[in-house]
Structures are given as C-alpha cells and as structure tokens.
Amino acid sequence: MGHTTESSWVPSVTLRVGVGTADVAALLLGADGRVRGDADMVFAGQPVHPSGAVRHDKESLSLALHEVEPEVERIVIAGAAGGQSLAAMAPDRAVVLAYLVPTPDDARAVVFGEFFRESGGWKFTGIGKGFASGLAELVTAYGVEVAEEEAEEPVAGPAEKPAPGPVKEPVAGLVKEPVAAPTAAGPVSLTSVEKRPAGGGTAGDGGGHPAPASTASGAEAPTRSGKAGWASSVAGRMQGWVSGGGARALDEAGESGVFGPDFKPFTAKGQGDSVVTVDSRVPAGPVLVEATHQGADTYFAALALDANNEDDGPSLFSSQLPDFTGSTVVEAPEGRPLRLRLAAYNAWTVRVRPVGAARRLRGTLKGYGPEALLYTGAPADLAIDFKGDEDGDGLVALWCHKVADGTVLSPRPTLLLNKTGRRRALVPLPGGPLLLLFLGGGRWSLTVREPNS
C-alpha cells in the first residue's frame, strides 16, 4: 500500500508498527476516548499489555488486532517527536500501510495516528498532532493524570548474571503437577469495601499521586516535580511505569473501589538476582505485589522471606514467560518489613499496592501470566479459556478466597481449577466479594456468565 492520506482498512492480524524512533508507545482507549488504567499504556518500560495483544519490542510495536479486548475501541500510536513516518507490516512482511507524519516544528511529542474499530474490523487514520509541552501534555489528553516524576533508580545488580540458583516449589510456568494451595497462619484482616470519589484521593493513594521512587533496597530516591520533568523521563526511551497509578480505572459509578487500607505505592527496579525490602509505607496485612521481567527465554521468580531471612513458602512468581508480567497477593508481616527474594536474568520492576488496585472481574477479561483479581458480583459461572504459552503448554490454576462480611480473607482458599496445557473450563463462583488468584502460564481470557446461561 502506498502513502495513506485518510482512513484505510487494515487486516485484523498481528501488525508490526514502527515510526522510525524507539520512543514509541500505544495507548488503548475505551469508548470514552480515555485509557482505563495505567496498564493501557504500552512502551519500553511497560512492554506488554495484560491482554498480551499489544507489545513493545525494541523500536516497534506489535498489535494483535484480532486479540484486542472488545472494550478497547481505539489504539493510539504516540511518542517523542523525531519519527517522520509510520508503517505497519503484516505477518507475511507485506506493508499494509505507510503514513508520512506532518510533525509541527515546535512539537516535542506527537500522536502519529490511531487504529480504530469499524463495522467489525479495524481501520487506521493518520493524525500527526504535535504537543509542544511534550509527552505529559499528550498522555493527559487521553486520561492519564501526571503528577510528580519517579526518579530513575540505580539497578540492583550487574547487567549480565549467571543462571539463578534453584527456587523452592516453583508454581507458574515450570511445573506440570498440581501446586500447593496458598496458605495463611490465620484469618487475614481486610476492611470492608470502601468507595473513594474519582480524581480525588490522598497523596500516595494510587489515585493520581505516585509513590516516591525506590531503590531495590527500599530506600527512597530523590524526585523532581512538575510535568516537564516527568515527560523528560518518559521521553528518555519511556523507561519506568506510569508512576504509581497515574492513570486510573473507574467503575460504572465513576468511583474506584478499595479492598483494605490505602497506602502510598512502593516501587523498586533493578536487574538480575536481588533482594527487595519494602519500606514502612506498606502496612501489615494483605497487599498486591506486581512484577515485570524483560526478555525472552529467561527465568524469573519471586519469594517472600521470613523473619529468619529464609524462603517463606511457595514462590509468588516462577515463570519462563517472555516479557513476564504478573500480580498476586501476599501478607505483609507485622512488626517487620516485607522482604522479597528475586531470581532474575534481566531488568525487572516490582510494585506493591493496595489490594484494591487489582483488576475487577466482570464481563470478559484477557490476560497474560498470573494475576490477582477482585470479584464483587452475584454467584456466577466463570468460563476459562487458557491458550497456554507459545507451545500451548503451561499451568492454569484458580484459587478463590472469600472475603467474609467484607472484613476477613479466608485462610484456606478453594481450588477451582488446576490443569496443564490449553484448556477450556467452566467453574462456579460464589457471590462476592472474592479475591481470585489466577495462575496462568500464558495467555488467557475469563468470562463471567449467569448460572445456567
């Protein structure tokens, strides 16, 4: 296809999209033209969308248009100014579109174009809109709240590491036999489900107020304030996450629900084997632990450490998935900081947030890797479609914690599924509120259905 000058149809396949610069990002937008949360931004520092449909790979983006979640209406391609053209290539290496980007002279960031749904398929239209104030102004236009910048942290280890040592009781992605149930010493306290007005929040609550940056040891790093500093950091190859909940996902009522106490998110970044000590901002009790690990054909694992500085139970994460991304819930101990041992080859990011920051399960969700989910609906059936890893293999398991009276997390969760390989299954869900720990060693989708539907 030649020079694209207006909206053009593109095949609903996996497209490789490049703009001539490494500072390229994709923003996945809902029907309201806004991101649903910080996971809907894909760039060098956050290279895989939870659905697995959009990925950042070196100096280009991979868009599996046939696998994009139905809630996503548009995919905006944006980045730092410098790219002069946008091109997309199909799996057979055929160029399906090419667009010369008319970048304004004073632009520091540019919306190159967007893919959008129409009549059951996908179209592309070139935009070329520049933003003189940079990337902060650009992402704000799509619903991202930009506050203080997280300063870049020093890495925790050398760039090259030997193979990490053995990890006790790996679970996701490496084992083929059933895994042991997550356990707790007793009932885990949770406060009842709270509500907080959208866009408000207090400092560090995940509502647009990012946490101070942290080194891998948990010490706070200095930060700079203002949109210009944040945008400058992102423009520097867009490394790091959109800080501490800068983009917020809202429910239909325009509010975000919170399980348990709120606290300022904690973030640590590094490379290779390391130990992360979470600082005092994280209270005792159940917390959400999120992690990413870059690269393919590598291994990543994370384990909590006990008071004797030894591995405390099964791995939180244990995976060989490329560009790993995952989340789970662990109980932060009373009277001492939560400490995590990481076995890794490449660059990683660990973030600790309130349990209420986990995705809500309703309708259909798609994901990639292990994930903690919250369910607050009525009794229902859950349709599970596990696609597995690149070889169609991998572990799929689902544990269900009931939240009794909205205050106590059950110490003995119910095992609803534990299989290997590609799998379709229908399992019953009791009424919420529930915490679901889904262990998926590959791509998956979950659909909530009414019983007997």
Side-chain angles (χ1 to χ4, degrees):
M1 178 178 292
H3 181 188
T4 299
T5 58
E6 57 186 16
S7 297
S8 303
W9 289 101
V10 295
S12 296
V13 297
T14 300
L15 300 180
R16 180 71 63 181
V17 179
V19 296
T21 174
D23 297 336
V24 60
L27 287 78
L28 286 70
L29 311 181
D32 61 354
R34 299 166 66 85
V35 295
R36 300 165 297 172
D38 51 351
D40 280 347
M41 295 185 65
V42 177
F43 50 95
Q46 185 168 279
V48 183
H49 188 263
S51 67
V54 180
R55 297 167 177 261
H56 185 285
D57 182 15
K58 296 182 179 179
E59 297 187 1
S60 63
L61 293 165
S62 174
L63 310 182
L65 297 179
H66 57 298
E67 296 183 1
V68 174
E69 297 167 297
E71 295 82 7
V72 175
E73 295 287 338
R74 297 157 57 193
I75 302 176
V76 170
I77 309 299
Q84 300 299 314
S85 62
L86 181 149
M89 186 170 61
D92 62 359
R93 305 187 68 81
V95 177
V96 299
L97 69 89
Y99 174 65
L100 185 63
V101 182
T103 306
D105 293 336
D106 62 345
R108 296 175 56 199
V110 180
V111 175
F112 301 109
E114 69 177 23
F115 295 83
F116 61 95
R117 295 185 189 272
E118 184 169 311
S119 301
W122 287 89
K123 279 187 171 183
F124 170 84
T125 187
I127 297 177
K129 181 179 180 180
F131 291 81
S133 297
L135 286 163
E137 180 187 8
L138 187 157
V139 298
T140 299
Y142 294 101
V144 179
E145 294 182 11
V146 179
E148 295 183 18
E149 173 200 6
E150 285 190 2
E152 188 170 326
E153 302 88 347
V155 298
E160 294 184 4
K161 296 286 295 181
V167 176
K168 295 180 182 178
E169 302 181 52
V171 286
L174 293 184
V175 298
K176 300 299 180 66
E177 60 273 7
V179 297
T183 60
V188 181
S189 175
L190 285 176
T191 64
S192 58
V193 178
E194 302 171 358
K195 289 289 185 177
R196 175 172 72 226
T202 58
D205 64 359
H209 302 266
S214 167
T215 65
S217 65
E220 291 187 6
T223 61
R224 293 177 294 170
S225 60
K227 291 185 177 182
W230 184 92
S232 175
S233 173
V234 177
R237 297 190 63 82
M238 292 189 176
Q239 293 180 349
W241 295 35
V242 178
S243 55
R248 303 185 60 191
L250 306 179
D251 62 16
E252 291 84 351
E255 297 176 324
S256 61
V258 177
F259 279 78
D262 214 358
F263 58 87
K264 184 178 295 185
F266 168 92
T267 302
K269 300 176 184 179
Q271 185 158 346
D273 295 355
S274 188
V275 176
V276 172
T277 301
V278 178
D279 62 25
S280 60
R281 80 187 70 178
V282 178
V287 295
L288 181 71
V289 177
E290 302 169 318
T292 66
H293 180 245
Q294 298 181 15
D297 299 324
T298 59
Y299 174 62
F300 176 75
L303 299 97
L305 296 174
D306 61 18
N308 199 38
N309 218 28
E310 296 180 326
D311 295 345
D312 187 11
S315 302
L316 305 181
F317 306 112
S318 182
S319 178
Q320 289 178 307
L321 288 176
D323 292 323
F324 171 83
T325 178
S327 68
T328 190
V329 171
V330 65
E331 186 179 6
E334 184 77 45
R336 63 180 178 87
L338 174 65
R339 283 169 54 81
L340 304 174
R341 179 169 77 87
L342 305 182
Y345 284 84
N346 300 324
W348 49 262
T349 298
V350 170
R351 183 163 61 173
V352 181
R353 295 202 289 170
V355 176
R359 283 204 295 174
R360 297 298 195 270
L361 175 60
R362 54 191 170 209
T364 297
L365 282 185
K366 292 186 178 182
Y368 172 79
E371 186 167 356
L373 302 166
L374 299 178
Y375 179 70
T376 57
D381 292 334
L382 183 64
I384 300 172
D385 184 3
F386 177 62
K387 298 176 174 60
D389 56 21
E390 295 180 353
D391 299 322
D393 209 340
L395 172 73
V396 54
L398 178 63
W399 296 95
C400 174
H401 280 278
K402 291 184 179 180
V403 183
D405 300 323
T407 59
V408 177
L409 186 65
S410 58
R412 296 184 180 276
T414 301
L415 178 62
L416 299 179
L417 183 67
N418 193 9
K419 302 290 183 181
T420 58
R422 292 177 180 172
R423 184 77 51 170
R424 289 188 176 182
L426 188 67
V427 299
L429 286 182
L434 305 174
L435 168 64
L436 302 175
L437 298 181
F438 186 81
L439 306 181
R443 295 185 183 183
W444 50 263
S445 66
L446 306 175
T447 302
V448 177
R449 297 178 180 175
E450 292 185 5
N452 301 320
S453 64

